Amino acid sequence: MREAYSRVMALRRMFLHWLFPAAFVLPLWLFVGWIVFSGGSSWGLLWLFVAVPAVFVSQLVLTLMVRARGSVRESRAVSWRDLAGLGIWQVVIVALGFFDSRVFFPLLVLSIAGALVLFWSSLAQLWNEARGAVTVLHTTDGTAYVPPPRETREQTRDAEVIVVPETRRPD
């Protein structure tokens, strides 16, 4: 059981380390795929000038939003929702780079919708983690206030003090 858990955590940690390089690799893949799989029409080139920066910026923004969460920084691993969502979205972008005319438009729509869903999902996770940090209470008349932090007083026990008087011998 422990071994399976460590493998899963290793996968989630590797995916976290992959997010920043993916911001450079995925747009590069779209450009290389356009050259190799002859997506080359003038409209294809125009699409490429829009898609490459869009993929770069969206991947970078999503990476920063994921890394901004305290749970990700603490565990050094993405959540399951991030792993599934970003993984599927990146596979769709890779498939888009093959420029197959039969599935190009559905993949394009899926990649745009996926980016929007991932943005809101990451924002919701970030919000939920940040929301628990502050509690707002309301008085009976409806006025909101933030309660003062609780003071935790440790019970300090008076340490035993031993006084050793210094006596001088007369010489």
Side-chain angles (χ1 to χ4, degrees):
M1 182 69 169
R2 179 132 172 94
E3 184 179 316
Y5 176 76
S6 64
R7 277 192 240 158
V8 169
M9 281 303 285
L11 174 69
R12 290 172 49 201
R13 286 182 175 151
M14 286 187 329
F15 195 78
L16 178 67
H17 294 298
W18 157 250
L19 290 179
F20 269 128
F24 298 95
V25 172
L26 291 175
L28 181 64
W29 163 247
L30 290 176
F31 182 71
V32 169
W34 180 78
I35 293 170
V36 171
F37 298 106
S38 57
S41 66
S42 59
W43 289 110
L45 184 62
L46 178 64
W47 175 84
L48 197 63
F49 282 126
V50 172
V52 167
V55 169
F56 174 74
V57 168
S58 60
Q59 178 67 39
L60 200 58
V61 165
L62 289 170
T63 299
L64 292 173
M65 288 175 69
V66 166
R67 286 184 167 262
R69 294 199 317 261
S71 63
V72 172
R73 288 191 313 269
E74 181 181 333
S75 66
R76 295 184 182 142
V78 296
S79 69
W80 282 110
R81 189 190 308 181
D82 295 328
L83 181 67
L86 285 166
I88 291 170
W89 182 63
Q90 291 173 356
V91 167
V92 168
I93 290 174
V94 168
L96 195 60
F98 287 108
F99 292 93
D100 185 3
S101 61
R102 296 170 294 183
V103 292
F104 182 78
F105 186 71
L107 287 175
L108 180 64
V109 170
L110 188 60
S111 69
I112 293 169
L116 294 173
V117 167
L118 284 170
F119 176 77
W120 287 109
S121 171
S122 295
L123 191 63
Q125 289 181 70
L126 184 62
W127 178 261
N128 285 337
E129 283 191 22
R131 182 176 47 162
V134 176
T135 303
V136 177
L137 299 178
H138 297 276
T139 61
T140 55
D141 66 350
T143 306
Y145 69 97
V146 177
R150 293 184 185 173
E151 293 182 22
T152 56
R153 294 186 182 183
E154 295 180 19
Q155 291 182 347
T156 57
R157 200 175 110 212
D158 290 337
E160 187 173 321
V161 178
I162 300 174
V163 178
V164 179
E166 185 177 332
T167 59
R168 293 189 184 201
R169 292 185 184 177
D171 289 330

Short mmCIF file of all heavy atoms in Angstrom, two decimals, residues 24 32 45 55 80-81 98 106 111 121 130 141 145 152 161:
data_model
loop_
_atom_site.label_atom_id
_atom_site.label_comp_id
_atom_site.label_asym_id
_atom_site.label_seq_id
_atom_site.Cartn_x
_atom_site.Cartn_y
_atom_site.Cartn_z
N PHE A 24 6.72 25.94 -22.71
CA PHE A 24 7.60 26.16 -23.86
C PHE A 24 7.52 25.03 -24.88
O PHE A 24 7.57 25.26 -26.08
CB PHE A 24 9.06 26.32 -23.38
CG PHE A 24 9.24 27.50 -22.48
CD1 PHE A 24 9.19 27.36 -21.11
CD2 PHE A 24 9.43 28.76 -23.01
CE1 PHE A 24 9.35 28.46 -20.27
CE2 PHE A 24 9.58 29.87 -22.19
CZ PHE A 24 9.53 29.70 -20.82
N VAL A 32 6.41 22.95 -34.76
CA VAL A 32 7.06 21.82 -35.43
C VAL A 32 6.02 20.97 -36.14
O VAL A 32 6.23 20.52 -37.28
CB VAL A 32 7.89 21.00 -34.42
CG1 VAL A 32 8.36 19.69 -35.02
CG2 VAL A 32 9.06 21.81 -33.92
N LEU A 45 -0.89 29.39 -41.13
CA LEU A 45 0.17 30.21 -40.56
C LEU A 45 -0.41 31.31 -39.68
O LEU A 45 0.11 31.59 -38.60
CB LEU A 45 1.02 30.82 -41.67
CG LEU A 45 2.23 31.64 -41.22
CD1 LEU A 45 3.19 30.74 -40.44
CD2 LEU A 45 2.93 32.26 -42.41
N VAL A 55 -1.34 29.35 -26.31
CA VAL A 55 -0.99 28.15 -25.55
C VAL A 55 0.08 28.48 -24.52
O VAL A 55 0.02 28.04 -23.38
CB VAL A 55 -0.55 27.01 -26.49
CG1 VAL A 55 0.07 25.85 -25.72
CG2 VAL A 55 -1.72 26.52 -27.30
N TRP A 80 -5.28 15.84 -7.77
CA TRP A 80 -5.79 14.91 -8.77
C TRP A 80 -6.56 15.65 -9.86
O TRP A 80 -6.51 15.27 -11.02
CB TRP A 80 -6.69 13.87 -8.10
CG TRP A 80 -5.90 12.82 -7.41
CD1 TRP A 80 -5.79 12.64 -6.06
CD2 TRP A 80 -5.07 11.83 -8.00
NE1 TRP A 80 -4.95 11.59 -5.79
CE2 TRP A 80 -4.50 11.08 -6.97
CE3 TRP A 80 -4.76 11.51 -9.32
CZ2 TRP A 80 -3.64 10.02 -7.22
CZ3 TRP A 80 -3.90 10.46 -9.56
CH2 TRP A 80 -3.36 9.72 -8.52
N ARG A 81 -7.29 16.67 -9.47
CA ARG A 81 -8.05 17.45 -10.44
C ARG A 81 -7.11 18.14 -11.43
O ARG A 81 -7.38 18.17 -12.63
CB ARG A 81 -8.91 18.50 -9.72
CG ARG A 81 -9.88 19.18 -10.65
CD ARG A 81 -10.58 20.37 -10.04
NE ARG A 81 -11.21 20.13 -8.77
CZ ARG A 81 -11.88 21.07 -8.11
NH1 ARG A 81 -12.00 22.28 -8.61
NH2 ARG A 81 -12.42 20.81 -6.95
N PHE A 98 -0.89 17.64 -34.77
CA PHE A 98 -0.79 16.76 -35.93
C PHE A 98 -1.53 17.33 -37.14
O PHE A 98 -1.38 16.83 -38.25
CB PHE A 98 -1.32 15.36 -35.60
CG PHE A 98 -0.39 14.59 -34.71
CD1 PHE A 98 -0.71 14.35 -33.39
CD2 PHE A 98 0.81 14.11 -35.21
CE1 PHE A 98 0.14 13.64 -32.58
CE2 PHE A 98 1.68 13.40 -34.40
CZ PHE A 98 1.35 13.16 -33.07
N PRO A 106 -12.83 20.11 -34.07
CA PRO A 106 -13.29 19.65 -32.75
C PRO A 106 -12.20 19.73 -31.67
O PRO A 106 -12.48 20.10 -30.53
CB PRO A 106 -13.73 18.21 -32.98
CG PRO A 106 -14.02 18.13 -34.43
CD PRO A 106 -13.10 19.09 -35.09
N SER A 111 -9.84 22.28 -27.00
CA SER A 111 -8.69 22.88 -26.31
C SER A 111 -9.04 24.25 -25.74
O SER A 111 -8.61 24.60 -24.63
CB SER A 111 -7.49 22.98 -27.25
OG SER A 111 -7.72 23.92 -28.26
N SER A 121 -11.33 26.12 -12.74
CA SER A 121 -11.07 25.08 -11.75
C SER A 121 -9.88 25.46 -10.87
O SER A 121 -9.94 25.31 -9.64
CB SER A 121 -10.78 23.76 -12.47
OG SER A 121 -10.33 22.79 -11.56
N ALA A 130 -7.52 29.65 0.03
CA ALA A 130 -7.26 30.95 0.64
C ALA A 130 -8.41 31.39 1.53
O ALA A 130 -8.20 32.12 2.49
CB ALA A 130 -7.03 32.00 -0.45
N ASP A 141 -26.47 42.89 15.04
CA ASP A 141 -27.05 43.89 14.13
C ASP A 141 -26.53 43.74 12.70
O ASP A 141 -26.87 44.53 11.83
CB ASP A 141 -26.77 45.31 14.65
CG ASP A 141 -25.29 45.68 14.63
OD1 ASP A 141 -24.45 44.78 14.40
OD2 ASP A 141 -24.98 46.86 14.84
N TYR A 145 -17.10 41.56 11.41
CA TYR A 145 -15.80 41.85 12.02
C TYR A 145 -14.93 40.59 11.97
O TYR A 145 -15.43 39.48 11.87
CB TYR A 145 -15.95 42.34 13.45
CG TYR A 145 -16.44 41.30 14.43
CD1 TYR A 145 -15.53 40.60 15.22
CD2 TYR A 145 -17.79 41.01 14.57
CE1 TYR A 145 -15.96 39.65 16.11
CE2 TYR A 145 -18.23 40.06 15.45
CZ TYR A 145 -17.31 39.38 16.23
OH TYR A 145 -17.74 38.43 17.11
N THR A 152 -2.62 31.66 22.59
CA THR A 152 -2.36 30.36 23.22
C THR A 152 -1.30 30.58 24.28
O THR A 152 -0.17 30.97 23.98
CB THR A 152 -1.87 29.34 22.19
OG1 THR A 152 -0.72 29.86 21.54
CG2 THR A 152 -2.94 29.04 21.16
N VAL A 161 14.89 27.60 41.15
CA VAL A 161 16.06 28.46 41.20
C VAL A 161 16.87 28.10 42.44
O VAL A 161 16.34 28.08 43.55
CB VAL A 161 15.66 29.95 41.24
CG1 VAL A 161 16.89 30.82 41.35
CG2 VAL A 161 14.84 30.29 40.02
#
